[in-house]
Structure formats: structure tokens, C-alpha cells
Amino acid sequence: MTAKPADARSQAGHQFRAFFDAPIAMILAILALVPSVANGSLTAWPGNNDNMLRLVQIRDLLAGQSWFDYSQYRMGPDGGFIMHWSRIVDLPNAAIILAVEGLTGSQPAGEMVAGIVWPTLLLALSVFAIIRAARVLGGAEAAFPAALIGILSLFSIGIYAPGAFDHHNLQLALCLVAIWLLIARPSRRCAFAAGGAAAITMAVGMETLPFVVVACASAAILFLLRGRNETETAFGFGVGFASTSALAFIATVGPQQWFVVHCDALSPAQLVVAVIGGGGLAMLALLPFANATLGSRIAGLCALGLLLAALLVIVWPQCLAGPYAGLDPRLAELWLTGVSEAQPVTKIAARDLRLFAKHYPTPVIALFVIGWLIWRSRGAELRAASIAGGFLLAAFVLSLWQVRVGNFSVAFATIPLAAWVGIARKTAYSRKTSSASLTMAIAWIVSFNMCWTVVGLGLHNLAGMRKPPSAAPGEPSLDLTSCYDQEAFGALAKLEPATVIAVSNIGPAILKHTRHRTLAGPYHRNNEGNIATLDALTKPPDGAYEILSRYSVELVVHCPGNDESGHMARLGPDGLMSTLFEKQPPEWLKKLTTGPETALVIFQVERK
């Protein structure tokens, strides 16, 4: 037997074998729980409205609410309102809860296990997809960087933390899977799975619709430019996207909603576009005369595109409006100015360098890397780099509008960055020069999102930036975390079920920790309840009392440490919220109890 050269053995030692990608991803995801164990957040989850309300929705499902009934009856006006969320996320969490409850007899134990297991599984899937995609883009040498850069980047964005029941982590995982499968070699099976992943992320929520469009466009453009070399991709993706969309619609949308159009959730509008678009692409790829020449492909795709555009413009023009089109202008202003994650890059750079550094440097570097990869690549490598670049560019541009999309651009950036580090490693091992080693070291350092976060924190502190005060003018800024802690709701939970009025930010926490119903919650379909709360808390006491009486409100809950509470006080200097900050509530409000300085203050509404 001939021994391997020393350089070959050394290089092999720095590579992962593809067989180990899945177990390594799972091990890294489990290790990512260690900080949560150390700081106590493994079981004591921080307050997050969407995670809390998602758990409430799961509890309602387990308590007997219909699979097809998305209504949240304990929020908003009498009768509640229909949420725009999908049951797709509820199903695996409910299954875990039921399984653990069957073994332990405790639903809270089931919720605890689901809150740990579900996001950990999604984190493992995401890391696995990043490793596999990086292998395609940068070779075997990119696998190790992809594992390390991927896990640390995904950990830094926080959406895979314990207690993350919400759908954004599932959507990101599916997008990463779609990228990996699309940049893999042309294959009907891979393309079918990519189309299925795109369809499921659309069915879960319309927030990722731009990335679904990128996935569809990638399959169509590959077919357009490469013809018969990509017919398997176009056919597989089209069939996967159309069929999975149809199955998701039948499985999650009740028959009574089959002809009701919603622009913010899976409905007949999205279904028809998906089936015609996906089926049309598959048919063009299947028919010899449609894929024979560049001209025939241009004609076929243009006809398909015009048909889809006509459907949207003529039949469903309302769905071409922005995401806040149906929202009351006052609520849009309240949320867009008060929610940091909804701010554009210009405001983030001026107000919070920590958040800016967390979401923007690595995607910018990755875009340059993608440009370099496209410039130096040919054939399959050029194909892979172009698709990965399309997803990254879309996410980065959207993050300039709202910083929350930076979670996706940071995750997408890990793929080209890992490929860059992999190429630099291969060069350093082969050339053994100081310049190659320095290049590799620089590539490693600047690719870690956490490094930029630390830099941003330092610059933030040097610039003297501070978080805007949450309290009303003249009131000390308070820590808002206690507004969500279960302990803060102990006194409220002991009271008989009633209708509560509180700022929308703590509405989900009220539903999670008590049996009460609340008028407000930070969800755009709850227009009436949120407007009523806004008016009641910013109007003078007499006007507030009339609104509270109209909606049969019995309890007023105030958390001084909440950002929205201070914002409400500033909006209405003479309003009810201001009187609560000034500790001079109207005589018809009777204080029942109060906890520590940052806990909830509870008032009972006494009828005049």
C-alpha cells in the first residue's frame, strides 16, 4: 500500500467527510444550548410576543379548538379575530407536548421539552444545510468553516433559542434548505425538494415571499439560460412547488375559507399563482418544442409571467399593496416608530450601532465574496454562486428597509463566507506562504458575525448611545423584562377571568400566564382592539372610561418598564396612561396590587 503524501494527509485532516455533516450539525446544535444552561434561560425563556402567542395557539389546539380555526378568542373585541398564522408550526410542537405529557402526565413538562427540542432540531437542520451548500460552493475544505461560522452566526441572531415556538426559525431553515438543493447538481429529486421547501415556507407565512420569488426565479432563469441542461431542475421544482402548495392549502385551510382571499396568509390567490406558476414551468420544461431554443424558452416564460401578472393585477390587486396596507395609519405609525426591528438601516446606524453591527457587516462582505466567486467561476461553480448570491442580495436589500430581515441575510452570508475561508485554507495548505496564511486568518476573523457584534458594542458605548427611555417624561427608565416574567403575573392570574386593557406589547404575556382576555395585541388583524386601546390610553380619563365601558373592560394593567407604555404617555400627555405614570389615576380606577418597581400594576375599573 502506498502511503499518502504528508500534505494530502494534512489537508484530509482539516476536512469533514460528507457522511458526518448531519451528526456534526446535531452536536453543534446541542452544544449551542450550553450558554442557555449557564445563564438560566434554558427553561426561563425571555419574553417574546410571537413565541408566547404561538404557545397560546398550540394550547388552544390541544384544548380542542378546531385545526382549521385560527381565531384567537381571548384577544381583541368580543369574539376575537382570525390570526394570519399557519397551523404547520403548531403540529410538531403539539406532537412533542402530547408525547411528553403521555409519559409524564404534565402538559407544562411537555411545553418545556418542546420549547427546547423544536428550535434545536431546526438549528441542526439549518447548520446541516449551510454545510452542504458550502461544500457545493467552496469544496470539501469549506465544510469545517461552514459548521463553525454557521453555528455561531445562527446562535447570534437568537431565533433558535429555547422557547422559540414562532415560525421565523422554521422559515429560515427551509430557505437554507432550498438554497442548498438549488445549487446542488441539476437533479429532478433535489429540485422537487427545493420547490417543496419554498412552498412550505410560503404556507407558513408571507414574510418570506421575496425569498420564495427568488427560488422560483432561480429555477426559471436556469431553464431559460441553460435549456435542456436544466429541464430536470425546472420540471422538478415546478412540480414540487405546485403540488406542495396545493397539499398545504388543503391540509391547513378549512373548506369555509377556500374561496376567501387573504393577502397575508395562504389563500386561493397564492394557491392559484403557485399552481399555475409551478405547473406552467414544469410543462415548459417537459415539452420539447418549448425548451428547444432560447427563443422558445423566452416566449414560454414571458407568456407564463404575463398570465401570473394579469391574475394579480386584475383579480387580486389588493395583494400588490404593502404589508401594512390594511393597518390603521395610527397603528402603523405607532409600531413602525416604536419597534426597533422594523426600522430602516439609516435609523439603526444613527441609534443603535450594536444592532447595525449584528446585521450588516457580514452580509456586505459576503456580497463582495459572491461577486469574486462569480467572476472566477465557470460552469457548475458559476451556477451555484449566482443562486446563492441572488438569495443574499434579496435579503440584504430588504434588510435596508427593515433590519429584522437581517436575520436572513446574516444566515445566507455564511455560505459564501465559508466557501471563501475554505478556498483560503486550501491555498494556505498548498502554498505554505505567510501571505496565504494571513489571508486565511483575515477571512476567518471577518466572517464571524460575533466579532462584528463585539465591535459594534464597543463603538456603541464609545459614541455614548443609550436605549431611548421607555418611561414617560420625568419617570426613570425601567427594565422591561419583568413585564413578561411569569412571576409578575402571579397576582393577575389569581383574579377571576376578565377583560383586560394593557399596551399591546404585553397582550400575549397576559394570555400565556393568565385566564384573562386582553383587548390589544401586536398583530395587524386586530385593528379594532388595538385602536380601542390606543384611544383609551391616550385620551383623558373621561374619554377613556367611555371606551372601557363599551368593551366591558374590568381590569387595567400597567407595566411602567414597557417601551410602549412610555410611548403611549408621550402620545397623550393628558391621557389615561400619563395619569398612571404620575401615580394619579382617576377615582374610578381602584389599585388592587402592585409588585416590585418594574412589575405589573393592576387596577380594577369601578362603574360610575
Side-chain angles (χ1 to χ4, degrees):
M1 181 181 294
T2 304
K4 289 184 179 181
D7 288 348
R9 291 198 305 270
S10 176
Q11 184 173 336
H14 290 277
Q15 296 178 9
F16 282 161
R17 292 184 181 274
F19 177 79
F20 296 111
D21 288 349
I24 285 171
M26 192 70 243
I27 291 169
L28 289 173
I30 293 172
L31 289 175
L33 294 173
V34 172
S36 297
V37 174
N39 62 25
S41 62
L42 183 68
T43 56
W45 305 323
N48 177 288
N49 284 322
D50 289 349
N51 291 335
M52 287 189 284
L53 191 64
R54 174 68 69 179
L55 180 56
V56 171
Q57 295 280 101
I58 295 168
R59 287 175 178 174
D60 292 343
L61 177 65
L62 293 174
Q65 187 165 324
S66 169
W67 171 264
F68 295 116
D69 184 2
Y70 296 165
S71 298
Q72 182 43 250
Y73 293 103
R74 291 200 293 137
M75 183 177 285
D78 189 33
F81 67 100
I82 301 175
M83 287 291 294
H84 62 289
W85 289 349
S86 168
R87 286 288 192 199
I88 291 175
V89 182
D90 299 347
L91 180 60
N93 284 293
I96 295 171
I97 293 170
L98 284 176
V100 176
E101 184 180 3
L103 293 172
T104 65
S106 169
Q107 183 170 322
E111 293 176 358
M112 194 67 64
V113 172
I116 297 170
V117 170
W118 176 241
T120 301
L121 290 174
L122 292 178
L123 178 57
L125 176 60
S126 301
V127 174
F128 174 74
I130 288 172
I131 296 173
R132 283 301 172 93
R135 282 185 180 275
V136 177
L137 209 57
E141 294 81 3
F144 174 67
L148 197 55
I149 295 170
I151 189 65
L152 291 177
S153 294
L154 295 180
F155 178 82
S156 72
I157 61 179
I159 64 174
Y160 296 92
F165 290 99
D166 193 32
H167 53 272
H168 297 118
N169 47 21
L170 174 60
Q171 289 179 307
L172 178 51
L174 290 170
C175 285
L176 289 168
V177 168
I179 294 173
W180 159 46
L181 294 171
L182 280 170
I183 69 176
R185 63 180 178 82
S187 160
R188 180 178 296 190
R189 183 170 59 181
C190 286
F192 180 89
I200 295 173
T201 193
M202 179 183 70
V204 168
M206 292 296 122
E207 303 98 319
T208 50
L209 189 58
F211 307 128
V212 175
V213 171
V214 172
C216 295
S218 297
I221 292 172
L222 286 173
F223 171 68
L224 172 66
L225 297 179
R226 304 188 63 190
R228 291 178 178 174
N229 292 325
E230 296 288 353
T231 54
E232 293 294 298
T233 299
F235 179 80
F237 185 92
V239 172
F241 186 65
S243 60
T244 307
S245 297
L247 288 173
F249 181 84
I250 293 171
T252 62
V253 179
Q256 70 278 9
Q257 292 287 316
W258 281 2
F259 301 100
V260 180
V261 172
H262 298 288
C263 299
D264 58 356
L266 185 61
S267 73
Q270 293 83 357
L271 175 66
V272 170
V273 171
V275 170
I276 293 178
L281 179 61
M283 186 175 296
L284 290 174
L286 190 63
L287 298 175
F289 70 86
N291 62 41
T293 65
L294 177 62
S296 64
R297 295 193 296 273
I298 291 175
L301 289 172
C302 284
L304 180 61
L306 288 173
L307 174 60
L308 296 177
L311 282 172
L312 287 173
V313 172
I314 297 173
V315 183
W316 304 297
Q318 69 272 26
C319 292
L320 297 175
Y324 300 104
L327 192 63
D328 186 281
R330 289 183 295 166
L331 292 177
E333 181 181 0
L334 171 66
W335 285 345
L336 291 179
T337 58
V339 179
S340 62
E341 291 184 349
Q343 303 301 317
V345 62
T346 50
K347 291 186 177 180
I348 293 298
R351 298 177 182 177
D352 195 336
L353 288 177
R354 297 168 299 182
L355 198 57
F356 178 86
K358 177 181 175 181
H359 286 106
Y360 292 104
T362 49
V364 168
I365 296 170
L367 284 171
F368 280 103
V369 171
I370 278 287
W372 172 67
L373 290 172
I374 291 174
W375 174 77
R376 72 190 292 270
S377 301
R378 297 291 183 273
E381 293 177 351
L382 176 61
R383 175 186 185 274
S386 299
I387 295 172
F391 276 90
L392 176 60
L393 181 61
F396 178 73
V397 170
L398 289 171
S399 74
L400 298 178
W401 170 54
Q402 285 197 355
V403 68
R404 74 179 85 197
V405 189
N407 289 337
F408 285 78
S409 60
V410 167
F412 296 165
T414 61
I415 298 170
L417 290 174
W420 177 36
V421 174
I423 293 169
R425 293 175 77 221
K426 185 176 182 179
T427 303
Y429 297 143
S430 61
R431 293 183 181 177
K432 297 187 181 302
T433 62
S434 57
S435 61
S437 298
L438 179 61
T439 299
M440 180 181 68
I442 292 173
W444 268 115
I445 294 170
V446 301
S447 296
F448 284 117
N449 197 55
M450 283 186 169
C451 291
W452 294 105
T453 303
V454 171
V455 171
L457 177 61
L459 293 175
H460 185 92
N461 292 333
L462 284 174
M465 293 183 177
R466 294 290 183 269
K467 185 178 179 181
S470 60
E475 189 77 10
S477 182
L478 301 172
D479 178 17
L480 62 82
T481 56
S482 63
C483 297
Y484 304 105
D485 288 345
Q486 184 170 356
E487 292 76 12
F489 289 84
L492 184 63
K494 294 176 182 177
L495 300 176
E496 288 297 315
T499 299
V500 176
I501 195 167
V503 293
S504 66
N505 268 349
I506 60 174
I510 292 173
L511 266 57
K512 178 187 175 185
H513 297 304
T514 77
R515 297 173 296 163
H516 303 295
R517 67 184 316 276
T518 181
L519 200 57
Y523 303 99
H524 64 274
R525 286 194 180 183
N526 185 28
N527 250 321
E528 182 180 345
N530 290 328
I531 282 294
T533 300
L534 174 63
D535 287 340
L537 296 180
T538 57
K539 284 187 174 183
D542 287 345
Y545 180 83
E546 189 276 326
I547 296 172
L548 268 55
S549 298
R550 187 193 319 159
Y551 287 95
S552 302
V553 173
E554 300 172 66
L555 298 172
V556 175
V557 174
H558 173 47
C559 187
N562 191 278
D563 288 339
E564 192 178 348
S565 299
H567 191 57
M568 289 283 192
R570 287 185 286 272
L571 283 177
D574 299 322
L576 178 62
M577 180 61 76
S578 292
T579 69
L580 300 183
F581 271 110
E582 294 167 1
K583 298 181 175 59
Q584 295 179 349
E587 59 183 15
W588 45 267
L589 278 185
K590 176 185 177 183
K591 182 186 289 189
L592 297 183
T593 183
T594 180
E597 184 183 24
T598 57
L600 302 180
V601 185
I602 307 169
F603 298 90
Q604 181 175 334
V605 179
E606 296 187 331
R607 300 303 174 196
K608 294 182 180 180

